[in-house]
Amino acid sequence: MSINRPIDLGWCTARGDHFQIGLTLGQRGRAAVQQHLISSELWRQVTDARHQQRVARMSEQTRQRFPFIWQELLGMAEGLGLPVEQVMAWNCRGDLLASAPDGCTTVLLPGEQITIAHNEDGLPFFRGSCFIADVQPDNQPGFRAFCYPASLPGHTFAMTDAGLVQAVNNLRLLGVEALIPRMVLGRAVLACQNLAEAVDLLRAEPDCGGFHFSLAQQGHPQLLSIEFGDGHCSVREVTTPSLHANHALHLQRGLQAQIITDSSRDRQQRGEILVDATAVNALSVLRDNAGPGLPIWRDAIDDPDDENTLATAVMQISAEGITWSIYDHATDCAAYHSG
């Protein structure tokens, strides 16, 4: 990892057992959570008592199916200085609310060198408080992942020491009664040893809110688009340059009942035009602010979904390895990049 300049996207190293990892991540995000998050309307909605039984059900399922992730949540709650019930509810926000503000756009370019490039769009008040988590568990592959304060790794973009590359987009599915949080599944994928194991996990555990995963593995020729949620999972191989702008494109459950915001629709339409070009520059696509509708690159203070682009990752996967660059602004100089 190389650091190129002063930046507002932090770096946090977490080592040890899963409780210790959660504790470290919680401590890193504590100030931003206390300053911005717990006074927000979204926090009030997610932690409202009407969700208590649903959160308790998902907590129990997490404890049973993924005890290591439950330990990370316990540690995170201690680091944040908040009740674990509230931290759990926040990590269930996309399972409780179809309209949770997690936008994002992903460019997928297949080939001998696969590219997964991703705009991470989130709550504007978190700019300057997000960070790359460099996590090395005692008994699982290490990884580097973009993290929001108070959120588990695994629902944004990440690269693992097992050679997996992941980028995640929100699907706003309607009428979901989740058994397991979608963010818990995202974290579980980061513990997988290979692409097949990750796909099997998502096919077996899709009783959650909606997500789209772009997944690839070092030395593996396939680039996968996986949409899942509410008990359904659709896996497709990407064979031509493509773009995904956080609504379901091939999950039948999502095609039947989902929210597609104006931004999501406009980004998808504009992005499909851009990736249809003869030579696709993924970074240029993700920074595009032209077109007739709402832009792919999001920095408006009045964004209708209350989302801004907080980071961009360009990750390239081949038989030789993974190279990556992470940008915190629309500049030519990456904040971090592989050595």
Side-chain angles (χ1 to χ4, degrees):
M1 181 271 295
S2 297
I3 302 173
N4 288 340
R5 58 178 170 79
I7 54 173
D8 66 12
L9 179 63
W11 188 277
C12 176
T13 301
R15 301 284 187 272
D17 62 29
H18 293 286
F19 184 91
Q20 181 61 51
I21 286 168
L23 179 66
T24 300
L25 298 179
Q27 290 171 336
R28 180 56 183 259
R30 183 168 182 160
V33 168
Q34 296 292 333
Q35 183 176 357
H36 300 295
L37 181 59
I38 61 176
S39 61
S40 70
E41 174 61 19
L42 180 59
W43 179 266
R44 187 197 66 77
Q45 291 180 30
V46 169
T47 59
D48 189 275
R50 73 182 185 277
H51 299 308
Q52 184 175 355
Q53 289 186 346
R54 299 170 71 191
V55 173
R57 180 177 66 233
M58 286 186 277
S59 297
E60 182 58 30
Q61 291 295 316
T62 300
R63 279 193 293 265
Q64 291 182 12
R65 300 191 203 183
F66 302 102
F68 75 93
I69 300 177
W70 181 249
Q71 286 299 310
E72 290 183 5
L73 287 162
L74 290 174
M76 185 178 292
E78 181 167 320
L80 291 165
L82 292 172
V84 69
E85 293 81 7
Q86 291 185 357
V87 175
M88 184 65 181
W90 179 244
N91 281 271
C92 297
R93 56 189 180 274
D95 311 284
L96 301 172
L97 305 174
S99 58
D102 296 292
C104 307
T105 305
T106 306
V107 175
L108 302 96
L109 305 179
E112 289 189 10
Q113 178 175 265
I114 293 169
T115 296
I116 298 176
H118 180 82
N119 273 355
E120 183 56 39
D121 300 339
L123 290 163
F125 62 60
F126 273 147
R127 180 174 294 282
S129 301
C130 300
F131 53 92
I132 304 301
D134 181 1
V135 178
Q136 293 291 334
D138 287 338
N139 57 352
Q140 291 174 352
F143 59 85
R144 281 131 310 278
F146 179 98
C147 278
Y148 292 97
S151 292
L152 288 166
H155 72 107
T156 57
F157 61 81
M159 307 79 70
T160 82
D161 292 343
L164 288 174
V165 172
Q166 172 205 65
V168 185
N169 290 340
N170 181 28
L171 305 181
R172 298 181 171 97
L173 304 185
L174 295 169
V176 174
E177 282 297 331
L179 295 180
I180 193 80
R182 64 184 190 173
M183 288 172 58
V184 166
L185 295 182
R187 171 64 186 92
V189 164
L190 298 183
C192 291
Q193 294 292 339
N194 53 57
L195 189 61
E197 183 181 340
V199 172
D200 288 346
L201 183 150
L202 297 177
R203 280 179 166 151
E205 305 274 1
D207 295 315
C208 59
F211 262 158
H212 171 266
F213 277 23
S214 304
L215 278 177
Q217 182 184 2
Q218 175 185 342
H220 195 287
Q222 284 187 309
L223 170 57
L224 298 182
S225 167
I226 306 174
E227 294 180 344
F228 63 94
D230 199 28
H232 301 267
C233 182
S234 175
V235 180
R236 292 202 175 174
E237 183 176 359
V238 178
T239 57
T240 59
S242 303
L243 181 136
H244 196 284
N246 81 275
H247 59 270
L249 300 177
H250 53 86
L251 178 71
Q252 194 61 39
R253 169 64 178 82
L255 299 178
Q256 294 169 349
Q258 67 173 322
I259 296 170
I260 303 176
T261 67
D262 290 344
S263 170
S264 183
R265 182 198 62 240
D266 291 348
R267 284 180 283 120
Q268 188 69 44
Q269 292 176 352
R270 174 64 175 167
E272 288 177 356
I273 293 171
L274 295 174
V275 299
D276 197 37
T278 302
V280 181
N281 183 303
L283 190 59
S284 295
V285 172
L286 291 174
R287 290 177 173 175
D288 183 81
N289 59 7
L294 293 163
I296 293 174
W297 176 267
R298 310 171 73 182
D299 58 7
I301 59 174
D302 59 348
D303 181 274
D305 295 343
D306 195 23
E307 296 164 359
N308 277 185
T309 303
L310 303 179
T312 299
V314 179
M315 301 169 286
Q316 296 175 315
I317 308 102
S318 68
E320 288 71 39
I322 299 168
T323 59
W324 51 268
S325 297
I326 300 171
Y327 303 83
D328 58 341
H329 293 284
T331 65
D332 292 332
C333 188
Y336 304 104
H337 62 81
S338 51

